[in-house]
Amino acid sequence: MPQENKKRGKREEKKRKRDEHEVHKGASPKRQRSEERGEDEVEIVLDVDPSLDYEEYGGAPLPDDTPFYGLLDEEEQTYFKRADTLLELNQFVDNEERSLFLANVYREAGGKELKVASSQSCSRLMERLIRLSTAEQLKSLFQKFMGHFLHLVQHRFASHCCEALFLQAAPIVTQELVAPPAEGTEPADDGGISISMEGLFLSVVKELEGNLGYLMTNNFASHTLRVLLVVLSGRPLRSTATTSLLQSKKKEKIDITGRRTESKSEDMRTRTVPDSFQAALDEMILGTVAGLETTYLQALATHPTGNPVLQLLIELEFSRSGKSKAREENSLLRRLLPDDPSVEDTQSASFVKGLLYDPVGSRLLETIVQFAPGKVFKALYKSLFRDNIGNIVRNDIAGFVVGRILERVSHDDLQYAVDQICRHIPLLIERHRTSVIKTMIERCQIREVDIQAIADTIMTAYGGSGASMLVNMVRLGKDDTQAMAPERKSQLEIQDAGKLHGSLLAQTMVLVTGPLRDMICNSITAMETSTLVLMAKDRTATHVLQIALTCEGQTKAFRRKIIQHFYGHIPELALDAIASHVVDAFWTGTEDLLFVRERIAEDLLQHEVTLRESYSGRAVWRNWMMDLYKRRRIDWISKAKGTQDAEVSHAGPKPRDGAIAKSGIELARERFAATKAGKAAKGRPGVGTGANSVLPSGRPGGISARV
């Protein structure tokens, strides 16, 4: 039996007895001690999060202005949790059944929307409801939240509901521009008046006015504020650049099983927004920085929560207002850098140099470099970066800024930067910081800068020419993971930064024509068959092999020579979850090598039973159209050739525009019918040939017209 943890000594024993005696009398020993201190008492303020609902966890309410929307009782929580599980599984018969279920859930949640949104256990249900709601349901929910947005966006759980509501309602604004609703004529489900989604968003902006400077640094409101800015600006909602600004990597993904995102392609495009959104966005940007001094703005640049909002504001200011905005006194960049940063020993120049090496501030500097007007960028580049770019690139944080700089410099400046950076390439490779090298290679290809020096330096850094160079680059077989479980093996491969960055660098080199591609291809050609098979099965290195076989402009001799190494290993690769993608790449790589395609298809056909029992094997079987190869080999050869003459000889002429293509059996029947009709015409009496085929009756064949 465990013993009680007691402190030894007579003093501790006396103190324990005294405390017990005071407790029995009803007085708290700690409270009594503080009262005895009198005027010398020091108040201790706890650093608590005011957005947390402490009453939900049994604690006392916080003494602030945050409203308390109430708690759900046990029966309501059980119902909403059950509804959340059903929506997540999405096992409804059809959309109509799901719509009826959603209507019932909205009916049960009537009057409790704020409770559900601020509940830890049921806020996920609100997010799923928002993703599945119709336009009228979203408008009704908007109106229920109206007047409470300032507090909801600061709440730990309700802020996620606000984000989902803004993102889901944004496409409706564009739809209403095409077919605007009649304001005040459509009654809502709750008896209210349905207004346009544009008006609802403008009401949210008006409600948040005057608090934007504070919301920028709030842990939860900052994300919602970024979403609102993106919606008002018309930027794509689901693009990679937008997603990295709106949410962190640790954000929980709330989704519905098996649901197809119909609007995914629309979310990747720029949206059309009304003019009132542009005016509201200008007011938000102006209101955000109007009362902020330069010192506070520069502090926001290194603030983990305020920095992403500042990035978005600067990007929107440059992309919408153009070059003239940077010269205005009230512009955000001018407020952030009041002095000329191109002049040495100024406060702005020192601030930019500090951002260059700051883990958070460097992201803001990347945004400035990427979107600043050309005149501003050139001044910054010549005064702060050009002469020291070789030393700057050695820093792990500043290297990302150098990558953005290389994307904007001219041909001559890029050539100068290549000369300065080349001598530091071995150090960058040793630290696995190859992103700068990748960007430099891509820009040299675009600017038509000689890359021979880069190729020689990379070859030397990875141990010379031959097969060993690529093996060292992708770290093939460096770790003894063959005997490990597949899950553990994949986990270690993902965590290997050197392997990943080496593979990405090799892929970039293959895509660039010239000495860099030749270096990778020569290394692959020098590999033995066992090494190539190991490379095809490697999770990271396999992408290099796939791109080398399918990249544009790759020679036929290289593709034929590499694929021939895999003869006898095709079924083995097809059964592997990773190497099966290499077999799929063989189809593209043998586009003009029909005999190689037939050889691989025959090898797959001999192992049909084994392939059909494997998931990856069935995928390869389908991608190679092996059912067609097995039953109608002539048609498979026609598709494998992919040439005009093959289609004409085996499938007949191509139909005209708008005509329905005929199958092979239909074309054969027509040819048979034409042949039979020709034989019957030859044996028919009175039918002339040549010049005698037209008789006085005017009809061919000497047959007179019947009346």
Side-chain angles (χ1 to χ4, degrees):
M1 183 175 180
Q3 297 181 356
E4 183 182 358
N5 185 16
K6 296 182 178 180
K7 293 185 178 181
R8 301 175 60 185
K10 295 182 179 180
R11 291 184 179 179
E12 292 296 334
E13 183 68 18
K14 291 180 180 180
K15 181 180 179 182
R16 184 177 61 82
K17 291 182 179 180
R18 183 175 65 251
D19 293 345
E20 290 178 357
H21 178 68
E22 291 175 349
V23 169
H24 286 303
K25 293 192 331 182
S28 174
K30 293 185 178 180
R31 184 64 178 172
Q32 182 70 25
R33 183 180 179 184
S34 66
E35 289 177 353
E36 293 175 356
R37 292 169 60 176
E39 297 179 356
D40 297 335
E41 180 182 359
V42 179
E43 181 183 4
I44 300 176
V45 180
L46 298 178
D47 186 14
V48 294
D49 191 351
S51 62
L52 291 176
D53 193 355
Y54 287 89
E55 287 195 7
E56 188 171 353
Y57 300 96
L62 295 176
D64 56 9
D65 297 334
T66 303
F68 176 60
Y69 300 113
L71 296 174
L72 298 171
D73 57 34
E74 185 176 355
E75 183 179 355
E76 292 171 343
Q77 286 190 8
T78 303
Y79 172 79
F80 288 131
K81 287 181 180 178
R82 176 61 178 168
D84 183 35
T85 303
L86 293 177
L87 286 178
E88 182 181 6
L89 296 177
N90 195 24
Q91 295 178 349
F92 301 100
V93 177
D94 51 14
N95 292 334
E96 183 179 359
E97 181 181 354
R98 187 175 62 184
S99 300
L100 292 175
F101 180 76
L102 289 175
N104 292 332
V105 175
Y106 266 110
R107 191 178 302 110
E108 290 292 333
K112 311 182 190 73
E113 292 86 357
L114 298 175
K115 292 182 182 180
V116 176
S118 58
S119 172
Q120 179 186 14
S121 57
C122 300
S123 60
R124 296 180 181 86
L125 169 65
M126 182 61 71
E127 289 191 58
R128 289 192 174 92
L129 282 176
I130 291 172
R131 295 180 188 277
L132 296 172
S133 298
T134 61
E136 291 303 320
Q137 290 171 337
L138 291 176
K139 290 180 180 180
S140 176
L141 192 60
F142 243 116
Q143 296 178 19
K144 295 294 179 60
F145 285 179
M146 199 64 66
H148 304 277
F149 275 108
L150 181 59
H151 304 293
L152 292 177
V153 297
Q154 301 177 64
H155 196 275
R156 179 177 183 179
F157 308 118
S159 60
H160 296 282
C161 299
C162 294
E163 292 178 32
L165 181 61
F166 293 161
L167 291 174
Q168 202 68 22
I172 301 177
V173 178
T174 305
Q175 297 172 9
E176 290 182 348
L177 288 177
V178 181
E183 296 187 6
T185 59
E186 299 180 3
D189 296 338
D190 57 352
I193 298 178
S194 177
I195 60 177
S196 65
M197 194 65 74
E198 175 188 352
L200 293 173
F201 271 111
L202 294 177
S203 300
V204 175
V205 175
K206 187 175 181 180
E207 183 177 345
L208 299 181
E209 278 182 349
N211 301 280
L212 300 177
Y214 163 73
L215 297 179
M216 289 175 64
T217 56
N218 186 273
N219 290 337
F220 308 116
S222 171
H223 296 82
T224 313
L225 182 59
R226 296 175 223 167
V227 173
L228 184 59
L229 289 172
V230 169
V231 171
L232 295 177
S233 65
R235 282 185 48 167
L237 301 176
R238 306 291 181 185
S239 64
T240 305
T242 303
T243 304
S244 61
L245 275 176
L246 297 187
Q247 62 190 28
S248 63
K249 296 180 180 179
K250 296 183 289 184
K251 179 179 174 61
E252 181 182 0
K253 184 178 181 182
I254 305 296
D255 207 348
I256 295 92
T257 304
R259 178 173 176 259
R260 296 181 179 179
T261 308
E262 294 85 357
S263 60
K264 185 175 181 180
S265 58
E266 298 179 0
D267 293 343
M268 298 295 291
R269 298 194 298 264
T270 303
R271 295 170 293 107
T272 303
V273 294
D275 297 336
S276 59
F277 276 20
Q278 302 294 337
L281 184 60
D282 292 336
E283 293 179 1
M284 285 187 66
I285 296 176
L286 185 61
T288 302
V289 300
L292 301 181
E293 299 179 354
T294 300
T295 306
Y296 186 79
L297 280 176
Q298 292 181 352
L300 280 178
T302 56
H303 193 279
T305 308
N307 179 276
V309 183
L310 203 57
Q311 290 183 54
L312 185 58
L313 291 175
I314 288 180
E315 180 180 347
L316 293 176
E317 183 179 77
F318 287 150
S319 59
R320 296 174 59 256
S321 303
K323 302 178 181 179
S324 60
K325 186 65 177 178
R327 295 192 294 266
E328 298 180 4
E329 292 292 337
N330 60 345
S331 68
L332 184 56
L333 182 63
R334 193 67 179 270
R335 298 285 299 275
L336 188 64
L337 304 175
D339 305 328
D340 189 359
S342 60
V343 180
E344 287 288 343
D345 300 331
T346 59
Q347 194 269 342
S348 298
S350 302
F351 173 68
V352 172
K353 292 179 181 178
L355 292 180
L356 187 61
Y357 301 101
D358 188 84
V360 178
S362 61
R363 297 179 179 271
L364 178 64
L365 188 56
E366 287 184 53
T367 304
I368 295 175
V369 169
Q370 185 178 5
F371 296 100
K375 187 176 182 180
V376 176
F377 168 74
K378 290 178 181 178
L380 287 174
Y381 173 71
K382 292 181 179 179
S383 60
L384 300 178
F385 303 125
R386 188 178 188 276
D387 296 332
N388 297 322
I389 195 167
N391 297 325
I392 294 174
V393 77
R394 298 172 59 185
N395 186 273
D396 294 343
I397 298 173
F400 295 99
V401 182
V402 173
R404 294 295 186 184
I405 292 173
L406 295 177
E407 293 176 354
R408 295 199 61 177
V409 294
S410 61
H411 177 277
D412 296 337
D413 290 332
L414 181 60
Q415 182 65 63
Y416 179 80
V418 169
D419 297 338
Q420 297 295 319
I421 296 175
C422 267
R423 63 175 181 266
H424 300 293
I425 287 181
L427 178 62
L428 297 176
I429 292 175
E430 182 182 354
R431 295 180 177 178
H432 312 309
R433 300 296 178 182
T434 58
S435 59
V436 178
I437 306 175
K438 286 170 45 187
T439 305
M440 185 168 57
I441 292 173
E442 294 170 352
R443 299 307 302 175
C444 287
Q445 176 75 6
I446 295 174
R447 296 290 189 183
E448 298 182 354
V449 176
D450 186 25
I451 57 177
Q452 186 62 48
I454 302 176
D456 296 339
T457 308
I458 293 177
M459 182 182 297
T460 304
Y462 280 111
S465 60
S468 60
M469 189 210 68
L470 186 57
V471 170
N472 295 333
M473 182 177 292
V474 298
R475 299 175 62 87
L476 195 61
K478 294 293 182 181
D479 301 324
D480 189 12
T481 59
Q482 298 300 324
M484 293 184 179
E487 294 80 5
R488 179 58 178 167
K489 181 179 178 181
S490 61
Q491 183 180 3
L492 291 177
E493 289 178 353
I494 293 173
Q495 293 176 353
D496 192 349
K499 192 171 190 174
L500 175 62
H501 288 283
S503 175
L504 294 175
L505 177 60
Q507 295 173 42
T508 304
M509 294 169 63
V510 170
L511 293 174
V512 176
T513 58
L516 292 173
R517 174 185 289 185
D518 297 340
M519 188 168 60
I520 297 296
C521 293
N522 293 337
S523 184
I524 295 176
T525 307
M527 290 183 179
E528 299 180 355
T529 302
S530 58
T531 308
L532 287 173
V533 173
L534 180 62
M535 184 177 180
K537 294 182 178 181
D538 189 88
R539 181 182 300 272
T540 308
T542 183
H543 297 285
V544 182
L545 187 59
Q546 295 175 35
I547 294 178
L549 292 171
T550 59
C551 64
E552 185 179 358
Q554 186 60 271
T555 62
K556 182 190 297 186
F558 171 79
R559 289 183 277 116
R560 182 175 66 248
K561 186 174 183 179
I562 295 303
I563 294 176
Q564 286 176 353
H565 279 283
F566 292 97
Y567 286 166
H569 300 276
I570 300 296
E572 175 188 355
L573 299 179
L575 296 175
D576 189 85
I578 299 173
S580 59
H581 297 284
V582 178
V583 182
D584 294 337
F586 287 166
W587 177 268
T588 307
T590 57
E591 184 178 4
D592 50 355
L593 299 171
L594 180 60
F595 69 97
V596 178
R597 280 186 175 178
E598 290 182 300
R599 172 74 179 270
I600 296 175
E602 193 64 30
D603 202 359
L604 293 173
L605 183 61
Q606 294 177 3
H607 299 80
E608 177 182 1
V609 178
T610 309
L611 292 175
R612 289 188 181 274
E613 294 176 353
S614 170
Y615 175 79
S616 57
R618 290 193 297 270
V620 172
W621 185 272
R622 181 177 62 253
N623 294 336
W624 273 77
M625 300 178 293
M626 291 304 300
D627 288 328
L628 185 64
Y629 179 82
K630 181 180 178 181
R631 295 179 175 87
R632 295 183 294 172
R633 189 163 300 187
I634 299 299
D635 295 340
W636 185 90
I637 292 175
S638 300
K639 291 190 175 183
K641 285 183 177 179
T643 54
Q644 180 74 16
D645 55 345
E647 296 182 15
V648 172
S649 60
H650 295 291
K654 289 185 177 181
R656 295 180 181 179
D657 296 339
I660 301 176
K662 297 180 179 180
S663 62
I665 188 65
E666 292 176 342
L667 295 173
R669 286 172 180 170
E670 290 182 358
R671 290 195 297 269
F672 178 76
T675 304
K676 187 176 181 180
K679 291 181 179 179
K682 289 182 180 179
R684 186 180 302 163
V687 178
T689 60
N692 298 325
S693 61
V694 180
L695 299 181
S697 60
R699 293 193 61 187
I703 303 177
S704 59
R706 296 181 182 181
V707 179

